[in-house]
Amino acid sequence: MERRVHGVWRGTAAVRGGRTVLADSYQQAPLKVAKPFYAEDGTMVIYLMDASPGLLGGDRYEIACALGPGARLFLTTQSSCRLHPGAEEAESVLIQRFRVERGAVLEYFPDPVVPFAGSRHRGETVLEVAAGGVALVAETVTPGRWGMGEVFRFADLRLQTSIYCDGVWTAWDSLWIEPAGMPMGTAWGEFTHMATLWVVSDQLGEEEIELLREVTEAGEEEIYGGVSRLERGGCVLRALSRSVRPLQAWVYRVREVLRPRLIGSPAWPVRKSGSI
């Protein structure tokens, strides 16, 4: 079956005249980016937009972003990633690749993934961070459209993440959910939503790890989560909840704690409808 849509965005952030700029950008519909703007600390902020109802089975999206030395980028999406079913049970595909050079900072906080009933999806994220670079990459997965009675009604969801620290393959994570073939009550207990936050930085120490544990435990009434240190260059945080808003609040709270320590400036509010 031929692909319905092939959306592409490739961009490079670089420092020019002491300021981070979008040095080059290529977009192929339905993906596109709005004009960058700047946070108080000089971080360039970009909203990645999808001018379509979402990914249909058979569609393929590719996102690639490189940050040159010293560049600072906060990348987010305009809205949630909606996954629709396709003809002949075709799957949708989203490939994301990020490269962060020395002294650069990437914060990638996309909106949640929402798989519709009958949808099949495969996602792959590759993150490469050089020594001295910092990356905070979040991902939130919902069980589907709650109001439509589509909780865990999707057919197949596969998400894979690879982390490289200064050229060394440090972590590989795979999430594969087939609700029809697995009892979700056993897999996730009473929870229905999951968030993951990768923190990649060689500046991360035991003091920061303890702070992250405290932040995670502070939300124990609404979330169930934990922190695992990578063999080198960072950690991964993961939490489960019964709704998306506690997870969004938790992810941005972690950002508030880490940003002054790893980046040297406080977190600023993300301007987005419905944001925490």
Side-chain angles (χ1 to χ4, degrees):
M1 178 179 176
E2 294 184 359
R3 294 175 185 141
R4 295 174 181 266
V5 171
H6 186 189
V8 178
W9 179 67
R10 293 193 293 268
T12 301
V15 177
R16 300 284 188 271
R19 186 188 195 195
T20 300
V21 299
L22 190 58
D24 66 73
S25 179
Y26 170 81
Q27 59 192 35
Q28 181 171 298
L31 293 182
K32 62 179 183 179
V33 295
K35 181 180 179 181
F37 65 93
Y38 292 86
E40 295 179 357
D41 66 351
T43 297
M44 181 173 65
V45 180
I46 291 179
Y47 283 78
L48 180 61
M49 299 182 290
D50 180 0
S52 78
L55 282 112
L56 278 70
D59 290 352
R60 180 183 179 91
Y61 284 2
E62 296 180 32
I63 299 169
C65 185
L67 278 67
R72 290 189 175 189
L73 171 65
F74 182 94
L75 179 64
T76 187
T77 52
Q78 180 187 25
S79 60
S80 59
C81 180
R82 298 173 295 277
L83 308 176
H84 299 265
E88 300 177 3
E89 298 187 341
E91 68 176 9
S92 57
V93 177
L94 172 60
I95 305 297
Q96 303 180 119
R97 300 184 184 278
F98 301 99
R99 172 68 185 173
V100 182
E101 297 292 350
R102 179 179 293 274
V105 177
L106 169 67
E107 298 172 87
Y108 182 41
F109 286 75
D111 280 354
V113 174
V114 183
F116 288 19
S119 64
R120 296 179 180 274
H121 178 74
R122 176 170 59 87
E124 179 183 345
T125 300
V126 178
L127 174 62
E128 302 177 63
V129 182
V134 177
L136 278 65
V137 175
E139 180 177 69
T140 303
V141 177
T142 75
R145 296 184 295 179
W146 196 285
M148 299 293 290
E150 294 183 357
V151 177
F152 293 121
R153 293 281 304 281
F154 56 89
D156 186 15
L157 179 64
R158 287 178 287 166
L159 302 174
Q160 177 179 300
T161 302
S162 297
I163 306 294
Y164 293 84
C165 298
D166 202 22
V168 178
W169 189 20
T170 303
W172 181 80
D173 184 69
S174 179
L175 175 68
W176 188 348
I177 306 175
E178 291 182 291
M182 58 189 298
M184 295 309 299
T186 301
W188 286 4
E190 60 189 56
F191 300 106
T192 53
H193 298 63
M194 183 177 74
T196 303
L197 179 60
W198 295 92
V199 181
V200 183
S201 171
D202 52 18
Q203 303 173 49
L204 194 73
E206 286 300 328
E207 186 175 349
E208 286 75 25
I209 294 292
E210 287 303 315
L211 281 174
L212 294 178
R213 291 196 176 103
E214 291 176 7
V215 171
T216 301
E217 292 172 0
E220 61 183 354
E221 292 184 0
E222 295 186 279
I223 67 172
Y224 176 76
V227 183
S228 296
R229 184 153 195 173
L230 304 181
E231 184 177 357
R232 57 181 294 170
C235 70
V236 58
L237 300 93
R238 180 160 284 161
L240 298 170
S241 185
R242 301 174 189 85
S243 63
V244 72
R245 288 189 66 82
L247 292 178
Q248 288 180 308
W250 171 72
V251 164
Y252 280 101
R253 174 57 182 152
V254 170
R255 176 176 178 257
E256 290 177 2
V257 169
L258 286 179
R259 216 174 187 278
R261 292 174 171 270
L262 300 184
I263 303 173
S265 58
W268 32 265
V270 178
R271 292 183 287 179
K272 183 183 296 187
S273 176
S275 62
I276 300 299

